[in-house]
Every structure is written in C-alpha cells, then in structure tokens.
Amino acid sequence: MNLYLRLLGYLRPYRVRMAFAILCMVVYSFTSTIQIKLVEPFTSLMFSRPVTQAAPAATGQPSAAGSPMAGISLPAIPIATPHGLTSFQAWWHHWLFDVRRLVAFERLCMVILGLFLFKNVADYIGSFLSVTVEQAAMRDVRRDLFHHLQSLSLSFYHSRRTGGLISQMTNDVEALRSALAAGISNLLKDGLTLIGALTLVFLASWRLALMSMLILPPAALVLVTIGRKMRKRSGRAQERMADMTGILQESIAGVRVVKAFHMEAFEERRYEEANTGYFHAFVHLRRVSAAAKPFSEYAIILVAVAIAWLGAREIFDQHSLPPERFFTFVTALLLTISPIKSLSEVNSTIATGLGAADRVFGLLDTPATITDVPDAPNLAALGDAIVFDHVKFAYETGDTVLHDVSFLVPRGHVVALVGASGAGKSTTLDLLARFHDPTGGAVRWDGADIRGVSVASLRAQLGIVTQETILFHDSVRANIAYGVQATPQEQVEAAARAAHAHEFIARLPQGYDTVIGDRGVRLSGGERQRLAIARALLRNPPVLLLDEATSALDTESERLVQDALERLMQDRTVLVIAHRLSTVQHANAILVFDGGRIVQQGTHDELVAEAGGAYRRLHDLQFRD
Ligand SMILES: Nc1ncnc2c1ncn2[C@@H]1O[C@H](COP(=O)(O)OP(=O)(O)OP(=O)(O)O)[C@@H](O)[C@H]1O
Ligand SMILES: [Mg+2]
C-alpha cells in the first residue's frame, strides 16, 4: 500500500489532467450503459405492429409496464409508457414516439449518433489524458532513477550486474506503468462499465440474470484455465528462444575463439540442442493455443444457446418477458464481457507492478556512499604534496586489499606504481579519486583529508586515463572534448596533434566528425589509447592518474603512444601504474606493491641495484625490452 501511495505521488504534479481523465472515464462508462437502453426502443420501433387505435401514451397516460407493444394508426406510434415516469422520461417518450414511425426512427438514429459521438469523444480524451499522465509519471521515475544512478558510488556498480540494472530501468519501469494504467483506467473505467451493465442485466430480467450467473462461471473458468496454460507455455517458449539467441550471439561475437579452439562442432551441438528445445516448447504451446479458439467459441455458443433457451421460455411460455427486453438483456450481458476480462487481469498486473515498484524504489533508496560533507569547501590547486597516510582498504565483499600503505607524492613528481596483478595498484589510484573511501588512515592533499572537500572540485583537479579506453558513441571531436565545455576546434586539434592522434583522425572518413565508439568506426588499440591521451591533454589536469595499458602494440604504434604519454606527464604531478620500461626509468620514485603492501621504494637505478629484491624480479620479468 505504501508502495502504491509512493507511486501515486508521481501523479501529483499532473493531478488536474488526471481529474479530467477520470471525469472522461466516468462519462464513458455512463454513456456505455445508456447506449444499451436504446436497444429497447429500437427493437420496439422496428418490430411492433401498427394498430388503429390511439394508445394511452399518446395522451400521456401511463399503461402497464411490460405490456405488449401497442401500435396506432399512422402518423403516431405510441409505445407503451411504463408506470412512474419522471417528467423527463415522459417528455422523452413523447418526443421519440408520438410521431410517425419513420420520424421516430430518424429521431432515434440521431440520438444514437449523438450518444456515440459523446461516448467516443470522452473515450478519446480520457485515454489521451491518462496516457499523458502515465507517461509523464514514468518519465519522472526514469529521470529520478538515472539521476540517482549517477550519484551512486563505484562500489554500488561493482556489486550489481549491468544487465540487472538495465532491466530495472526498462522492464521494471514498464511494469510500473502497466500497474498505474491498470489502477487508473481498468479499475475505474471497466469497473464502472461493469456495474452499469450488470445493473441493466438485472433490471431487464433478474430471473434470467440469476440463471445466467449459474451458467457463466464454469464456462469462464474453462477459458481462464486455457489462458493461464497458454501464458505459462509461451513463457517457456520465450525462454528457449532466449537460449537460442544467446548461443547465436556468443558464437558470432566469439567467432575468433571458436575457430581458434576448433570448437565449431561443439557450438553446433549446443545450438542444435537449444533449437530442438525451442521446437518442443513451441509445439507444446501450440497444442494448447490451437485449442483455445474452437474451445472458447464452443463454450460461448453453449452459454448463448442456454440463455436463448431460457429467454425463449420466458417469452413464449410464461409470457413474462417482452422480446425487446430480452434484447436489452443480451446486449447488457455482452457488454459485461470485456470489463470482466480486463478486470480479471488487473490483479496480476498490479501485483507485478508492485514487485517492480519495490525494486525501483529500493534502488532509489540506495544511499550514495561517497558524498560531500555539509558545506564542503572546494579543493585548492596542489601546492605541496599528496600523502597516503597509513591507508587501509577493504572492498565491501572481501578481505583487506590495502594494508597500511603510506607514501608521498611531491608536486611535479612522477611516481610509478608497479607490482604483480592484484597487488592493489588500481585500488590505490581509486582511493585518490574517491571512487572509494579508505577504511583506515587517510589520503591527504596538502595536509587536508580529501574526504573533507567537495568531490567535484577534487575530480576537477584530476585527469584519469584508464587501461581500457572508454569511447562513447559520438564524434571524435566530442570524445576528445568529453567533460570540457565548448572547446574550439583548434584546441581539440592541438591536443590530438600532441597525442599523435591527428594523423589517423584526418584519415577517417569524416575527420573529426566521424562517429566512433559502440556501433561507430572501429579504432585500433593504439589509436584508442592516443585518443584517451588527447582527451586528458585537452582537460589539462594538474594531477594525473594514469593506468598504462598492458596491451602489446607494434613498435611504431608503441613509439607514438610512449611519446604522447611523455608529453602528457610533462609538468604535472603524476601517479602512474607503469608497464613500460621508459616510464619507470623516468619516474622520480617507484613504489613496489605486493599483496596490498608497499614492499620497496626508490628510483629505478637504486631498486635495480638491489639484487634479489622484489623490483629486480619484476624488472627482469616485465620490463626487459
Ligand atoms: N570491486 C572489487 N570488489 C572486490 N574486490 C576487488 C574489487 N576490485 C579489485 N578487487 C580485489 O582487490 C585486489 C587488488 O585489486 P587491484 O585492481 O587494485 O589490483 P592491481 O594491482 O591493479 O592489479 P592489475 O595489475 O591486474 O590491474 C585484488 O585481489 C582484487 O581481486
Ligand atoms: Mg589494475
């Protein structure tokens, strides 16, 4: 309930539109009921036999309710006027029937046209307004979700599967929308229409109504059972289809590996299995769904014949039901079908929607762990040094990754981090960027704990170049100028030239306007790295966090990247995770990491001289050219 209230909170800004939508739905349901009342005069007009005497209705006198049709000499055709009419009903009766039959018919047609116009206009406006409200609310939910996702820390993303998050943004929001729509339109519109139609059914003939209530439920039960089976089986068929596409997608994307390992036959077997699975699931589904139509048609005909027979008995045998009343009864009964159908689904839609709401609001309520303290000051440019002061760190899920790490990076120095894979180098850089906060000790910037300053001002001082170059689906220019507003072309080009990227960019089909990244033009590993360097150069950060790519490049490309990196590191304070000999050779200091600890510190020459030291081993393995 709480969830539903919170969901309804998203409707608040649109309450005026919403009120109009509800009004239209009420009008729609009301006219839907009224329209059935027109069946009776229509059939009366069509099938009554004219008689030669003026009927009581012509003089305004009421006659017995449900008496057989009384016709009169032309021009007027009075229809029996029931007891206890209000003045409106009397006027209506008079206006409609106390005229020539054809004129009466024309008037009735006009009323029908007018009523249906009114009903359909209300339906249109109502649906239109409720769709606007519903979609506007979902736009707000999505905006809030995306906004919140942007504010969540990196550790949140590490603990979640990308697919799960994306499905939450799409499927769950869609499920929310359906629940909202079901709540608004189905409950209201269909509920009211159903009440109206049922009232008419009982008014027309309560005995017949009660009897139909006995026949209808078993027939409906059969149909509902078939529907449920079908849904279950179609769900299974969809799963099999997903298996099949999954294998297809993997074997296409991984074609190089499949061929290299000579696994074609294995992949074929895997696909064949999924293929057969889908075949069986689909045939299984069809066995039920093919029965659905004949079954339901026969069930409906059974019910219809049973009701017709009951009706006929009342009409011909017991003379207790005028035929035109029977028409009203049948029409009203037909009108109940569609609301009953949609109302029977409302429950499950709302249940699904509430499940989705639970997940969506759960996500919205996930607190961001890296936030500014109240009134956090902005960080001033680095004057003296960055210090890691007895830093400890453990990821939420695991063991301690950094134990008591302490080091100093004076302004303008290049400090290289080296060590085996998993030693904690990337984690150390992440702590400076406040992607995580230390669990012990502190990272200090000119003596001040970086947790005390605004995150935005800290990151504005930092340039971060990661191992994997993330390119967005956008032009080369936009990718280089990512995060820098309104950059003139000359500056972008200067950065690209400095990063040795201009030459290959100029050769691209549309130069700087070529779209790259996902679904865009493919770039080689070295080209991607040089773009990343150009991006960092343009931003011109005073402090640089650099995770050198490990991918092997050919000699020419390697020389270009190395040269670009050296330019990037010039005149900056740099923390670099080094994989290149030239980088460690030029560094002012090297930190050797092992198992989350700094085991050696010094310059390249000092460390290489220590025979049997960790650096010496690493050097012989990794940095020997
Ligand atoms: N998001 C995470 N959640 C839990 N543990 C993590 C996470 N990221 C890294 N680790 C663990 O932390 C340790 C240090 O990882 P880190 O990425 O800092 O190593 P690294 O020195 O950069 O290694 P490489 O040279 O391979 O990049 C590893 O044991 C790793 O398994
Ligand atoms: Mg790393």
Side-chain angles (χ1 to χ4, degrees):
M1 203 58 224
N2 223 347
L3 280 178
Y4 219 71
L5 285 183
R6 192 162 168 193
L7 190 53
L8 289 179
Y10 275 95
L11 298 177
R12 266 185 71 85
Y14 312 106
R15 54 188 179 275
V16 175
R17 250 181 283 182
M18 177 86 193
F20 272 109
I22 290 176
L23 184 71
C24 285
M25 285 175 198
V26 172
V27 167
Y28 172 83
S29 308
F30 187 69
T31 41
S32 296
T33 314
I34 293 288
Q35 86 195 29
I36 296 170
K37 289 297 278 178
L38 294 179
V39 172
E40 215 164 311
F42 192 84
T43 41
S44 298
L45 270 179
M46 284 303 239
F47 301 119
S48 64
R49 270 177 296 115
V51 289
T52 45
Q53 244 188 351
T59 55
Q61 282 169 7
S63 69
S67 69
M69 195 60 45
I72 51 149
S73 61
L74 299 175
I77 334 133
I79 304 269
T81 320
H83 276 302
L85 291 186
T86 62
S87 57
F88 168 75
Q89 281 168 315
W91 170 82
W92 157 255
H93 217 84
H94 176 72
W95 179 77
L96 196 58
F97 296 117
D98 293 350
V99 285
R100 272 200 314 134
R101 189 184 285 251
L102 189 60
V103 176
F105 189 74
E106 283 165 2
R107 287 189 177 174
L108 187 59
C109 285
M110 261 150 52
V111 171
I112 290 176
L113 285 180
L115 190 73
F116 272 76
L117 184 68
F118 195 53
K119 170 182 139 176
N120 284 296
V121 168
D123 189 24
Y124 170 73
I125 298 177
S127 315
F128 175 73
L129 283 179
S130 58
V131 163
T132 325
V133 170
E134 177 188 306
Q135 288 295 343
M138 286 312 109
R139 178 190 55 198
D140 295 352
V141 169
R142 278 193 293 261
R143 187 187 50 212
D144 285 0
L145 271 177
F146 195 78
H147 173 75
H148 192 67
L149 281 179
Q150 296 299 311
S151 78
L152 286 173
S153 345
L154 218 56
S155 58
F156 167 81
Y157 288 93
H158 288 158
S159 64
R160 293 295 193 92
R161 276 175 50 219
T162 318
L165 279 176
I166 290 175
S167 113
Q168 236 167 339
M169 285 292 284
T170 48
N171 301 345
D172 282 357
V173 173
E174 173 53 28
L176 267 188
R177 191 201 57 74
S178 313
L180 211 56
I184 304 172
S185 43
N186 295 28
L187 277 183
L188 200 78
K189 196 161 124 184
D190 295 326
L192 284 177
T193 310
L194 182 62
I195 291 171
L198 278 179
T199 312
L200 285 186
V201 165
F202 274 88
L203 279 181
S205 163
W206 60 267
R207 263 191 314 203
L208 218 47
L210 283 182
M211 282 193 269
S212 338
M213 293 303 129
L214 290 181
I215 323 170
L216 274 175
L221 197 69
V222 172
L223 298 186
V224 167
T225 316
I226 293 182
R228 197 166 295 159
K229 266 219 163 83
M230 244 162 71
R231 254 203 305 280
K232 209 157 104 194
R233 293 190 179 182
S234 98
R236 234 175 274 157
Q238 257 162 26
E239 281 166 27
R240 294 290 92 80
M241 180 54 115
D243 288 351
M244 207 157 64
T245 7
I247 294 173
L248 192 61
Q249 192 256 338
E250 263 177 31
S251 65
I252 291 175
V255 63
R256 188 182 282 271
V257 181
V258 172
K259 286 196 185 306
F261 285 81
H262 194 50
M263 289 296 270
E264 291 94 338
F266 172 79
E267 292 296 330
E268 263 169 48
R269 266 201 312 282
R270 227 156 59 102
Y271 187 75
E272 186 51 30
E273 233 167 72
N275 201 359
T276 312
Y278 178 70
F279 166 77
H280 286 307
F282 199 84
V283 170
H284 205 57
L285 163 69
R286 267 293 178 221
R287 211 154 45 211
V288 174
S289 70
K293 199 165 162 272
F295 238 115
S296 51
E297 186 171 311
Y298 207 73
I300 288 169
I301 268 304
L302 266 179
V303 171
V305 167
I307 290 175
W309 181 73
L310 288 170
R313 266 176 33 136
E314 298 237 339
I315 296 169
F316 301 124
D317 223 20
Q318 293 152 11
H319 301 290
S320 52
L321 184 72
E324 66 274 10
R325 186 67 52 77
F326 181 65
F327 276 115
T328 309
F329 173 82
V330 171
T331 322
L333 200 62
L334 286 179
L335 188 71
T336 61
I337 293 178
S338 127
I340 287 181
K341 238 162 89 184
S342 70
L343 283 175
S344 70
E345 283 158 13
V346 161
N347 193 21
S348 79
T349 314
I350 289 188
T352 319
L354 286 183
D358 206 20
R359 286 187 294 273
V360 166
F361 291 136
L363 184 58
L364 278 177
D365 293 340
T366 310
T369 46
I370 306 285
T371 47
D372 288 347
V373 293
D375 300 318
N378 283 341
L379 187 66
L382 186 65
D384 186 23
I386 294 165
V387 173
F388 273 62
D389 185 3
H390 298 287
V391 168
K392 289 190 194 59
F393 181 72
Y395 285 101
E396 272 159 31
T397 45
D399 304 329
T400 306
V401 173
L402 294 180
H403 312 263
D404 198 24
V405 167
S406 294
F407 63 90
L408 177 135
V409 187
R411 200 186 104 163
H413 277 215
V414 174
V415 171
L417 287 68
V418 300
S421 183
K425 307 179 295 290
S426 300
T427 308
T428 305
L429 293 199
D430 284 353
L431 290 179
L432 177 54
R434 276 200 84 195
F435 288 141
H436 314 286
D437 278 336
T439 43
V443 180
R444 301 185 197 284
W445 180 284
D446 285 339
D449 193 328
I450 56 171
R451 280 171 290 196
V453 297
S454 86
V455 179
S457 71
L458 169 69
R459 294 200 183 136
Q461 305 269 347
L462 303 175
I464 300 172
V465 180
T466 50
Q467 277 184 329
E468 269 295 304
T469 308
I470 307 293
L471 297 178
F472 294 94
H473 179 72
D474 206 336
S475 65
V476 172
R477 185 198 329 280
N479 266 286
I480 294 179
Y482 190 72
V484 188
Q485 254 109 49
T487 326
Q489 168 67 15
E490 304 81 67
Q491 282 183 31
V492 173
E493 212 177 296
R497 276 186 202 281
H500 292 301
H502 178 75
E503 295 75 19
F504 83 80
I505 294 171
R507 279 199 303 272
L508 290 175
Q510 281 99 38
Y512 282 84
D513 294 315
T514 312
V515 173
I516 51 172
D518 212 16
R519 294 178 290 133
V521 168
R522 298 255 166 192
L523 299 179
S524 78
E527 288 166 346
R528 295 171 73 92
Q529 286 176 28
R530 280 177 277 156
L531 267 195
I533 294 168
R535 190 188 273 171
L537 275 168
L538 185 66
R539 205 172 138 94
N540 195 20
V543 176
L544 182 69
L545 306 184
L546 180 61
D547 203 339
E548 277 188 343
T550 39
S551 55
L553 302 174
D554 62 69
T555 340
E556 170 62 10
S557 185
E558 175 64 34
R559 192 188 59 73
L560 291 176
V561 169
Q562 198 163 312
D563 199 53
L565 277 176
E566 270 156 31
R567 277 190 208 172
L568 179 61
M569 289 194 250
Q570 249 165 37
D571 307 320
R572 287 179 222 281
T573 311
V574 182
L575 274 88
V576 51
I577 296 175
H579 297 290
R580 292 188 168 78
L581 183 61
S582 70
T583 311
V584 283
Q585 277 171 339
H586 290 120
N588 299 92
I590 297 168
L591 310 174
V592 185
F593 277 75
D594 189 21
R597 287 192 172 77
I598 296 179
V599 292
Q600 268 186 313
Q601 286 197 45
T603 63
H604 176 70
D605 295 334
E606 287 164 17
L607 293 178
V608 165
E610 280 185 41
Y615 184 76
R616 183 60 190 263
R617 274 202 307 280
L618 206 67
H619 175 264
D620 292 347
L621 277 173
Q622 209 181 333
F623 299 130
R624 197 121 44 118
D625 276 338

